[in-house]
Amino acid sequence: MNSIERVQAAIDLRKPDRVPVDLHNFQPAAAAMGVSMAEVFQDGELLAEAMLRAWQQFGHDMILLENGTACNAQACGVEVIYRDDAAPAAHVPVIKSLEEVDKLQVPDPETAFPMCEIIKATRILAREIGDRVWICGRADQGPMDLASQLIGMDTLLLEIALGEKPELIHRLLDFAREVATRYAFALIDAGAHSTSIGEPIAGPDVISPRHYREYAFPHEKRMVDDLKKKGIILHNHICGNTIPIIEDFIATGAQVLEIDHKTDLRKAKEAGRGKTCFLGPINTTLMAEGTPEQVEEACREAIEIMAPDSGFILGPGCALGPETPPENIQALVESARKYGVYH
Ligand SMILES: [Zn+2]
């Protein structure tokens, strides 16, 4: 099997020859370019080159392509700060109150910065290596996460807690979902094999499971449904312990659920068996600060729990930090080959 067949099998819940492996490595890949990360993250050609070099070095099965957690927000007018040694960060919200939601306009991904640069990078990677490696063009952020950046996280969380304007909250989420959906279509058109949304603030570490069900879930599910109608595969990424929402998380219908080390793997496997493909969950702090032996042991354990009956892609649980040693990345990729073979 080649990488694309291997990933496709895992997502289809068929047994591949071995567990596929992804890298969530846009930061270390950019850091290795020898120019400021701010430059790489605003230039599609440089970003593609960074991801290409990393793939040549490590030979992973799946590339997760993005420039951080503020792409959609910036395209919608949020002020974003680019840093020399880290991913960009959303800084100043574009609206101050829910009542302003109708002022927002869905950006055209082909022209709106920086979406247009990520699309450019997707086209380059698809042309160069798209027949040999799975490219997930990430339509980050998801409805809940983008909504929090558009209005400011404190304001959104306060409005959710007050619960006095559910219709306006849903209108903001509708808008955010439309932004991510349109971007997702554009990334697939540019040659990505799958796409994704990140929803860290939708997780139980930030909002209650009841609020996840009420606000995040319907929009994530609607986005999955809209993409599925066109045969598009969506990953849903929620950081932290997702067990309190695992049934709803699975019920979004996303073909891939990205989880990190805080989620109990046995419980997740039990809940998701035969329903979805999990991706993750190796601790990014361990990846940055541990030894290759420790990384290998964590991978072995994750494979042992998650790999049986397929539906598993090994990778970091979240974005790798820029300082992650290449030896640890190599250990992760090698572990899939060493421990992930299906018989
Ligand atoms: Zn995460």
Side-chain angles (χ1 to χ4, degrees):
M1 277 187 168
N2 66 24
S3 289
I4 292 175
E5 293 164 339
R6 189 172 294 130
V7 170
Q8 186 73 59
I11 292 174
D12 293 345
L13 313 181
R14 294 178 283 114
K15 273 188 189 173
D17 55 347
R18 65 158 170 82
V19 169
V21 58
D22 82 280
L23 289 179
H24 200 162
N25 65 332
F26 65 100
Q27 293 189 100
M33 290 291 280
V35 294
S36 89
M37 290 169 77
E39 209 177 313
V40 179
F41 291 147
Q42 295 180 84
D43 183 325
E45 284 175 30
L46 278 177
L47 181 61
E49 178 67 25
M51 301 310 288
L52 182 65
R53 284 191 199 178
W55 177 74
Q56 285 163 339
Q57 183 177 359
F58 299 112
H60 39 300
D61 298 298
M62 180 190 271
I63 290 174
L64 304 190
L65 177 65
E66 62 174 293
N67 81 333
T69 55
C71 174
N72 295 8
Q74 187 173 13
C76 293
V78 171
E79 197 180 300
V80 169
I81 296 180
Y82 282 82
R83 300 169 287 187
D84 287 342
D85 54 0
H91 187 50
V92 182
V94 66
I95 56 170
K96 291 190 176 64
S97 69
L98 289 169
E99 284 72 18
E100 291 178 81
V101 62
D102 294 330
K103 289 196 335 199
L104 297 166
Q105 288 199 331
V106 177
D108 176 356
E110 292 290 340
T111 54
F113 185 86
M115 285 176 171
C116 56
E117 294 298 323
I118 314 301
I119 285 172
K120 192 193 286 175
T122 306
R123 283 204 179 96
I124 295 169
L125 288 174
R127 189 184 66 222
E128 298 290 327
I129 52 173
D131 59 339
R132 281 167 287 164
V133 58
W134 187 284
I135 301 163
C136 173
R138 297 171 81 75
D140 276 343
Q141 310 69 47
M144 194 75 178
D145 228 45
L146 179 55
S148 82
Q149 294 178 336
L150 293 170
I151 195 168
M153 183 156 143
D154 292 349
T155 308
L156 182 65
L157 293 181
L158 181 67
E159 290 291 2
I160 286 174
L162 291 172
E164 288 165 358
K165 303 168 188 166
E167 279 162 32
L168 279 177
I169 295 172
H170 279 294
R171 235 153 81 195
L172 179 61
L173 289 163
D174 274 332
F175 170 82
R177 192 193 68 246
E178 281 170 29
V179 172
T181 303
R182 186 163 176 194
Y183 186 30
F185 283 135
L187 288 160
I188 296 293
D189 282 347
H193 298 89
S194 61
T195 185
S196 77
I197 47 169
E199 288 273 82
I201 87 140
D205 287 4
V206 186
I207 61 168
S208 70
R210 182 171 68 85
H211 286 144
Y212 175 78
R213 173 178 276 270
E214 185 175 354
Y215 291 110
F217 172 80
H219 296 276
E220 291 171 10
K221 175 151 191 347
R222 168 81 188 273
M223 184 166 172
V224 172
D225 289 344
D226 287 348
L227 293 176
K228 268 189 183 168
K229 278 180 208 150
K230 306 218 168 175
I232 297 170
I233 295 165
L234 183 80
H235 312 199
N236 193 358
H237 177 116
I238 297 184
C239 311
N241 174 19
T242 54
I243 294 303
I245 57 163
I246 195 75
E247 296 295 340
D248 286 332
F249 195 25
I250 292 166
T252 61
Q255 297 92 328
V256 180
L257 297 183
E258 300 185 2
I259 53 171
D260 69 24
H261 66 285
K262 290 183 190 157
T263 287
D264 183 308
L265 297 184
R266 286 189 173 80
K267 286 182 184 162
K269 181 72 182 175
E270 201 181 302
R273 194 183 284 267
K275 295 179 186 163
T276 192
C277 176
F278 288 103
L279 178 155
I282 305 303
N283 184 348
T284 52
T285 305
L286 178 75
M287 290 295 297
E289 297 169 8
T291 64
E293 292 72 30
Q294 288 170 319
V295 170
E296 184 177 325
E297 179 53 23
C299 293
R300 191 197 58 73
E301 199 183 320
I303 289 169
E304 191 179 300
I305 299 167
M306 299 303 282
D309 305 327
S310 182
F312 180 54
I313 298 165
L314 178 71
C318 203
L320 291 170
E323 310 290 340
T324 307
E327 301 76 40
N328 287 355
I329 298 177
Q330 195 69 53
L332 184 146
V333 174
E334 286 299 326
S335 295
R337 301 191 182 114
K338 191 166 168 185
Y339 302 106
V341 175
Y342 285 96
H343 297 288

